[in-house]
Amino acid sequence: MPLSRPHVTVSRPPRTSAPADVLALRARDGDPGAFSALVELMQPRATRFALQMTGAARDDVDDIVQDAWIRTHRALPRYDASRSFESWFFTILANCCRSLRVRLRRLQLRAQPMDDQLRDESIDALMATTTRSDVARVFRALATLPAAQRETFLLHHVEGFSYEEIAVISGVGVSACKMRAKRAMDAVRELLREDDPDA
Amino acid sequence: MPDPMDDLDQRLSRALHAMQDVPPFPREAADRIAARAILASSPQARAGAWTRRLAAAVVLMAAGAAVVTAARRTAVVQRSELAMAGARAVGGAPVLPAAGAPLLPVSAGGARPIIFELDAPDARSVQVLGDFNHWSRDATAMERSADGRWRITTLLPPGRYIYAYLVDGHRFERDPARDAVEDRDFGVTGSELVVGEAP
């Protein structure tokens, strides 16, 4: 069966950047309530992204996201309102995730395997789903991908960013983003097919 | 016979949809994360060792002034306690909270009246945050007096508390008259306040 057929059509999540942008401007002007509301709005997505990007233990993931918020608050005076806050924040968060991976490599520590994560109740809480086994397979597939492909896949198919936004977040060209996304999707489909008990 | 690749694509689509779902995030937890971020990105937190060295020198130079400040602060608390007991403060009018003055929402079981006070004549807003209100941004706004000092009166049960002031929505300041201590539960550093049992 050919695998190069047209790929999965995924309706990306609706963007809610307008409220985040408004809150970010208020936070930039010194409103701590607006900053807290930003955390409330973005924290679940930030945690999900960091979990899936790093495969780290939950405590480490919480530290990564907290660090991202510290850097975000520190950089708020330089927030450019012409850019969506979500994409700006995810640029900072993605950098934090990359830093952790580098740190883990330097310490020769292994991140928690994805399978272990799936048994973690905190992950269960993040997933309201009846297709948990397929989600687990996607997790396993994502864990085998190069980090750059995994990042692009998650940002596009899960977080709903456009390739143009991902290009800015990841610091690469739009073409490279599209190529990474295609390779990631090919790999995920192939691994899902191999991992399919009914196949 | 159904195309197994169609089935695979549908399952992958469902799995990705499921991965996009996130539950709402508790507001109190968002407040804590935001407070940590604001505190950690404050100039005091970033200045590090240089600030500590400089502060040590300043403390030595200003020791006399600090003693006076502490004495005045103690006097304020004592006047408040007397006022709440229906007595008159020594040498002045009762320090009863003005009508409509903001009171922090805390348990009043065996509580004692405490006035938080900060001399910040140039500030646009001041809030007091602490473990007694979960470092929350709500119900913490202090009122500016004509003399440029910011005050809020609250009832606190006997116990040990850690607090800090949030000035202009972005600058954390510890109470200069009290030692810096870390609130391990919330991961922030503030000033210590011990409220004793009523006589």
Side-chain angles (χ1 to χ4, degrees):
Chain A
M1 189 67 67
L3 289 172
S4 57
R5 52 185 289 155
H7 290 312
V8 180
T9 304
V10 179
S11 61
R12 292 187 288 114
R15 298 300 305 277
T16 55
S17 56
D21 292 348
V22 171
L23 290 169
L25 287 176
R26 282 172 45 198
R28 189 186 68 179
D29 293 339
D31 179 353
F35 186 70
S36 187
L38 271 177
V39 173
E40 188 179 344
L41 183 69
M42 301 293 296
Q43 184 74 7
R45 289 177 56 194
T47 304
R48 174 181 64 191
F49 178 78
L51 277 166
Q52 293 166 352
M53 268 313 297
T54 63
R58 183 57 194 264
D59 285 351
D60 291 332
V61 167
D62 288 342
D63 287 346
I64 292 169
V65 179
Q66 179 72 66
D67 188 36
W69 283 118
I70 292 169
R71 294 181 192 207
T72 298
H73 190 267
R74 198 172 290 166
L76 260 183
R78 299 190 299 278
Y79 170 60
D80 176 5
S82 66
R83 188 176 172 191
S84 92
F85 174 80
E86 290 185 7
S87 118
W88 187 67
F89 173 69
F90 266 83
T91 304
I92 295 170
L93 179 63
N95 277 331
C96 291
C97 292
R98 288 184 211 115
S99 298
L100 178 80
R101 286 204 306 273
V102 169
R103 210 158 58 237
L104 289 175
R105 271 206 303 273
R106 196 172 294 152
L107 295 171
Q108 296 185 318
L109 296 175
R110 290 184 57 200
Q112 189 181 12
M114 291 285 182
D115 282 358
D116 288 351
Q117 279 192 41
L118 292 170
R119 288 193 290 271
D120 186 343
E121 288 181 4
S122 60
I123 306 289
D124 286 351
L126 286 175
M127 250 187 277
T129 175
T130 56
T131 58
R132 195 171 303 280
S133 59
D134 281 338
V135 170
R137 291 190 186 96
V138 173
F139 269 135
R140 277 197 292 272
L142 285 174
T144 66
L145 296 181
Q149 288 183 22
R150 185 161 69 245
E151 181 176 295
T152 306
F153 184 95
L154 290 169
L155 288 172
H156 187 62
H157 290 296
V158 180
E159 302 303 335
F161 290 107
S162 69
Y163 289 121
E164 287 74 18
E165 288 172 310
I166 297 169
V168 177
I169 292 171
S170 303
V172 295
V174 174
S175 301
C177 288
K178 290 180 179 175
M179 183 59 71
R180 285 178 181 179
K182 180 182 182 310
R183 286 179 178 160
M185 182 59 88
D186 285 348
V188 168
R189 292 180 80 252
E190 174 65 19
L191 288 164
L192 270 184
R193 192 181 65 83
E194 289 174 358
D195 199 24
D196 186 354
D198 301 326
Chain B
M1 182 178 173
D3 185 340
M5 292 309 290
D6 281 342
D7 180 53
L8 183 66
D9 286 351
Q10 286 172 11
R11 283 171 40 210
L12 180 52
S13 291
R14 281 198 299 271
L16 290 174
H17 274 299
M19 289 168 69
Q20 292 166 0
D21 288 343
V22 285
F25 193 65
R27 187 171 183 182
E28 277 197 354
D31 284 343
R32 287 197 296 273
I33 291 168
R36 284 188 201 125
I38 292 170
L39 186 60
S41 63
S42 67
Q44 296 100 314
R46 297 170 62 190
W50 275 108
T51 297
R52 283 194 289 276
R53 288 191 198 114
L54 185 61
V58 170
V59 164
L60 283 174
M61 291 167 62
V67 168
V68 172
T69 305
R72 289 184 58 193
R73 216 173 285 275
T74 304
V76 167
V77 172
Q78 286 172 346
R79 284 204 305 273
S80 175
E81 290 168 350
L82 288 168
M84 294 299 284
R88 294 185 68 83
V90 178
V95 193
L96 280 168
L103 277 171
L104 290 175
V106 295
S107 162
R112 307 183 74 187
I114 300 295
I115 292 179
F116 288 95
E117 187 177 75
L118 183 72
D119 188 10
D122 298 327
R124 285 178 287 124
S125 68
V126 179
Q127 295 162 288
V128 59
L129 280 64
D131 48 5
F132 45 79
N133 63 3
H134 304 289
W135 296 90
S136 167
R137 65 180 186 271
D138 294 329
T140 57
M142 298 169 73
E143 287 201 335
R144 189 181 189 283
S145 305
D147 60 1
R149 300 181 76 81
W150 295 76
R151 293 186 183 87
I152 190 170
T153 306
T154 185
L155 294 171
L156 288 177
R160 174 181 175 272
Y161 301 95
I162 301 172
Y163 67 98
Y165 298 105
L166 183 63
V167 180
D168 290 342
H170 62 86
R171 192 174 79 246
F172 263 91
E173 285 192 7
R174 292 194 299 269
D175 192 326
R178 294 177 187 274
D179 291 337
V181 289
E182 184 184 2
D183 183 347
R184 293 180 187 279
D185 292 338
F186 291 92
V188 297
T189 301
S191 303
E192 184 182 43
L193 168 69
V194 177
V195 178
E197 299 286 345

